[in-house]
Amino acid sequence: MSEDTESTDRIARLRPAYQADIAAGWERFFEPRRTDCPWCGSQELTTRLRTTDLLQHKPGRFVLDRCEGCGHTFQNPRLNEQGLDFYYRDFYDGLGEKQLGDTFGGRTKMYRGRAESMLPYDSAPKRWLDVGTGHGHFCAAAREVLPHTVFDGLDFTDGVELAEREGRVDRGHRGSFPDLAPELGSHYDVVSMFHYLEHSTEPDRELRAAWETVRPGGHLLIEVPDPESRCARFLGRWWLPWLQPQHLHFVPVANLRARLTEMG
Ligand SMILES: [Zn+2]
């Protein structure tokens, strides 16, 4: 069977489930709208953006609010678990896996750059945990920069199991980071979160999990879209990193720094 026929067949098989989901209405995919900021508790919220799913074109409308108290920007109302499942489905796995695998695989240079950014701080970390590792492509590329480092990956999708089978990560941990953190222990020289925090429902819990798993004196490496960037202002809803509805929280750098300092 050609790839095209195979893909057409898969789409045909998936269609009834999508049609049933859409017919049931998508309002049920949302938590109640918040009246306070999830980061600082302030009630001064303003609407920053209204948009739709510009990538997968699934139905639904999404609103990002901005807290006037601290600048935190977040999806409000936020998708619930059922909603996240609906909008993530076939994006990273299933139908989208092959396409994304190719796209991500082609990003080796960027991944190497991320690994190299660690060198001035620790030129030979022993153990590195990549949180939100997906299919493990970052770890595979980072090994070429740091051949003696053990790379573990963590993700809540089965992509991490694939990553372990393919040898891209030494160990793959599947599940939620805050839930797994206690058993992982605090012995990682580096914990990285590349474009992870903005997907999480509670970024604050993720930071605490990171604090639990980085060894004393180790490093936490975070890469997130900056809601204060000029491009975000100029491009409005067409700024790609808004990535609605997947990105739930946009934490300004100053807020991140303050919270991490508080935690020690
Ligand atoms: Zn706030």
Side-chain angles (χ1 to χ4, degrees), residues 37 40 67 70:
C37 168
C40 77
C67 168
C70 74

Side-chain angles (χ1 to χ4, degrees), residues 36-45 66-74 255:
D36 63 340
C37 168
W39 192 264
C40 77
S42 160
Q43 300 205 334
E44 278 179 81
L45 305 180
R66 181 178 189 278
C67 168
E68 296 303 321
C70 74
H72 189 76
T73 297
F74 61 104
N255 287 7

Side-chain angles (χ1 to χ4, degrees), residues 4-227:
D4 280 356
T5 326
E6 200 178 333
S7 147
T8 311
D9 270 19
R10 289 182 73 183
I11 293 170
R13 278 201 303 277
L14 290 168
R15 197 177 299 280
Y18 273 112
Q19 280 169 340
D21 269 328
I22 292 164
W26 59 82
E27 294 76 10
R28 71 203 161 92
F29 289 151
F30 291 94
E31 301 276 347
R33 188 183 175 278
R34 286 188 75 117
T35 55
D36 63 340
C37 168
W39 192 264
C40 77
S42 160
Q43 300 205 334
E44 278 179 81
L45 305 180
T46 51
T47 299
R48 167 124 195 209
L49 193 79
R50 288 173 193 280
T51 190
T52 51
D53 177 353
L54 299 172
L55 279 183
Q56 282 196 304
H57 308 290
K58 290 179 181 173
R61 303 198 152 272
F62 313 100
V63 178
L64 293 180
D65 278 348
R66 181 178 189 278
C67 168
E68 296 303 321
C70 74
H72 189 76
T73 297
F74 61 104
Q75 190 184 71
N76 197 19
R78 200 201 81 204
L79 288 174
N80 58 26
E81 208 171 305
Q82 216 182 353
L84 288 167
D85 173 70
F86 177 77
Y87 287 104
Y88 271 89
R89 201 189 303 160
D90 303 310
F91 193 87
Y92 295 97
D93 294 299
L95 270 187
E97 202 273 333
K98 190 175 180 326
Q99 196 190 348
L100 280 171
D102 292 345
T103 322
F104 289 159
R107 295 185 182 179
T108 309
K109 208 176 150 197
M110 180 181 74
Y111 293 141
R112 289 181 61 105
R114 286 176 181 173
E116 282 159 5
S117 73
M118 196 58 230
L119 297 178
Y121 306 96
D122 185 347
S123 57
K126 285 189 194 68
R127 302 191 60 188
W128 184 313
L129 176 67
D130 185 42
V131 179
T133 202
H135 296 109
H137 292 292
F138 161 73
C139 294
R143 278 176 195 288
E144 291 172 26
V145 179
L146 295 162
H148 305 296
T149 302
V150 170
F151 282 93
D152 292 346
L154 185 149
D155 206 277
F156 58 83
T157 71
D158 58 4
V160 72
E161 288 159 5
L162 175 99
E164 189 181 292
R165 281 199 304 277
E166 300 277 322
R168 295 176 198 146
V169 299
D170 289 283
R171 278 209 60 191
H173 301 280
R174 185 175 180 185
S176 111
F177 187 34
D179 291 347
L180 294 174
E183 61 192 81
L184 291 171
S186 61
H187 46 232
Y188 284 101
D189 302 291
V190 183
V191 171
S192 57
M193 296 173 159
F194 299 115
H195 293 275
Y196 169 78
L197 219 47
E198 64 270 35
H199 291 264
S200 77
T201 53
E202 293 175 86
D204 198 56
R205 282 188 76 212
E206 306 288 341
L207 294 180
R208 269 179 278 139
W211 185 82
E212 279 180 73
T213 47
V214 178
R215 72 164 170 80
H219 293 85
L220 171 63
L221 194 51
I222 296 176
E223 191 174 293
V224 284
D226 176 9

